Amino acid sequence: MFDYLTLKLIWWLLVGVLLIGFAIMDGHDMGVGALLPVIGKDDTDRRVMINSVAPHWDGNQVWFITAGGAIFAAWPFVYATAFSGMYWALLLVLFALFFRPVGFEYRSKLTNPAWRTAWDWGLFAGSAVPALVFGVAFGNLFQGVPFHLDDTMRSFYSGSFWALLNPFALLTGVVSLSLLALQGATFLAHRSEGALQARARTAGNVLVIVLLAAFSGAGVWVSQIDGYVIASIPDIGSALNPLMKTVTRQPGAWFANYQKLPILWLVPALAYLGGLLVLAGLRGGKTLLAFVGSSLACLSVILTAGIALFPFILPSSEHPVSSLTAWDATSSYVTLNVMFWVALIFTPIVLAYTSWAYHVMRGKITREFITANDKALY
Amino acid sequence: MIDSTVVDLSRLQFAATALYHFIFVPLTLGLSWLLVVMEAAYVMSGKEIYRDMTKFWGKLYGINFALGVTTGITMEFQFGTNWAYYSHYVGDIFGAPLAIEGLMAFFLESTMVGLFFFGWNRLSKAGHLAVTALMALGTNLSAVLILIANGWMQDPVGSAFNPVTMRMELTDFAALVFNPVAQSKFVHTVAAGYVTGSLFVLGISSWYLLKGKHVEFAKRSFRIAAAFGLAGTLSVIVLGDESGYAVSESQKSKLAAIEAMWETEPAPAGFNLIASINEETQSNNWAIKIPYVLGLIATRSTSETLPGIREIRAENKERVKQGIEAVIALEALRKNPQDAELLASFNKVEKHLGYGLLVKKYSEDVRLATPEIIERAAHDSVPKVAPLFWTFRLMVVLGFALFALFALAFWASIKNTFQQKPWLLRWALYFIPAPWVAIHSGWIVAEYGRQPWTVFGVLPTHLSASSLSAASLYGSIAGFVGFYTLLLIAEMYLMFKYARLGPTALQSNNA
């Protein structure tokens, strides 16, 4: 039904959708986890926070798993190169994520305070570390990653883990951490009450400012970084491998797509609109509006970065020709086509039962509810 | 050259994390359906004891489930982190079932598990039962898709090599999904999970009965587990046999190694019950043999012959030679992709390409392959015999012992005599680890038996690993071992504590 080129574009969008879905859905429970030691003042507070996401964190985490699976299926070059190259960054995320399922499930199964405190810190690490590392990874994409492909398409990475933690990448790490923490703060403001809700609102107000400042700062900084440009490439509607193109580096090239199509500036603008909605919602007690605003910011930040990089996915600083793009790092026509139909059928089904699950579990979590259901809850 | 230490360490890490993950998965597979049965009994009879059973076994399910999820994330990312060339070479095919698993199965399971635990007071009885059933369905769908992916590694159907992208690509999605190897593996594997879950419930219930605690609760749990477990063991054995048949079609090397069958025998071949294996001389010092049985199991006929290891190695030596030609032709083609003549000469030997790649373990440039290297590559094409021979027999013996246990337990539960049979109760209790031993043996048979390939006949394990340093591997293995040990201690502590508490855990204050 679609030609190969259209499918390549669709899959760029679909991976974007999955990442945005991850930021909005898993983002809010990671945000709650990251705020756990900050605004959870006592055990009951922290249980309110944990139980606000208890029925949903597991389903939400599947956005992350599915995004990983989709990258494997649609962009196997990217999956192979990025995951093996940034080995320790990936393992850091993985080890941090280990704390989440067990943290949620085991924390309140014993009453020993040391046990609970240990898992609280585990949940904090399991939420904050991945949130930070995702931004750091995106920051490194803008600067190029040191790898090359040999002529059998085997990838070799020549950088170190520590080189990933450069100033620009740490700034983009602040963007992603504040973004997901904001998701958590607005969600919590919506689902809690009293003193805890007040602290969640304060955190939300602070995080909006941090997010927009870091996002703006990163935007200005990107203009000083050399972007990547495809100088020549065979027919992008055909089967390609990454070594068939030529690539150059140019100052300001990461803004090229916005200059070509100025309407795209609306995408980064949405982050500021989202920020305003958060502030207005938190001030006026319209907590759902604040959550929507924060989700809008998630969408905007991820799309803004994606559009700037497009069609690059993983630029190579060591050997620019090896850079992976949406044209030459994809799966075959057959796979992209089959997977498109699978996604088209199952994504609405997933959204439907997820919404139903939130509907079933709607309403505020109170301290009284925790005490009354001590044994049944996390 | 690829560092062999890195390959070996990557295999060690994969095996360790996969086997660890597979401590939790079978129990989830089995318990999820048992929860459905218990809750259905509650909805139909209205008796609260069945609701308590669902909640209590559900608590243990949750403790186990958390680690299943935790260790499952590792599995998904490890292909990229540690098997990057594999991921590149076959991601076009292998990635698809993994992505579909997330979208179709894991979302369902994970969304429903939240409602299972927290939705008791918010859903109608039937609504909650539906949630439990969907959770079990999601879990089992997960297994289907993972085994479709694994089935393709065992028997790579529906795909072809593309010289432009230097990888295997999907040509026939239906062939991938309906791969007979995947189908029989799926039923064999999930049924093994049902056995694990059943024995878990049976064994702990037996302990309550031996102690005279929670008797009504334990009796009902025992009956359900005995019936479900009997069905499970039967399916495992029947589909295990079916898997054997499928293996004989697709992987003659694995079958010959499992059977320590060095020489091709006249049909129908005999089955070596036990043997003293001599890898050096490629023969058995002695063996106890049952005539005809292997031929019947593996070929479903009395006339088809099965090749022995020596014959397979000799055949593969020819394939290695042809494969070297394929590698050389591919290199030439890559320099001049438009040259129709080069393409034609590559296509002629393409089906042996994987065998040519076997040589790369010993010589990066296949042109430099000496007759000795070719001999070694052909020798590698059949895995070591003894580990397969014995793990297979351990699995089968445990399988039949489990069948005997469940048959007796089922009979005793019909006759309502199991409370008077402490020996049966003790057997059930002390046998709780047996399904895990059998399942892990089965994993070794399936995966070690596929060596030297990650994708049978297509991609050697040696080429599949990422270009990492040995230091990175030592570091990550240490990390996994440390983390997983701590998590296992926490898990076992809670599991024992809650199993000891029994259904009182649902109310008791020290829970």
Side-chain angles (χ1 to χ4, degrees), chain B residues 49-67:
Chain B
I49 191 167
Y50 287 111
R51 188 196 58 196
D52 289 349
M53 280 163 63
T54 315
K55 283 192 174 182
F56 169 71
W57 295 112
K59 239 183 190 359
L60 301 191
Y61 173 87
I63 293 170
N64 170 72
F65 185 80
L67 268 189

Side-chain angles (χ1 to χ4, degrees), chain A residues 313-343:
Chain A
I313 300 163
L314 194 65
S316 165
S317 56
E318 182 197 333
H319 184 230
V321 167
S322 291
S323 297
L324 306 180
T325 72
W327 311 133
D328 56 18
T330 69
S331 283
S332 64
Y333 171 79
V334 176
T335 299
L336 289 187
N337 191 38
V338 167
M339 292 307 296
F340 166 71
W341 289 105
V342 170

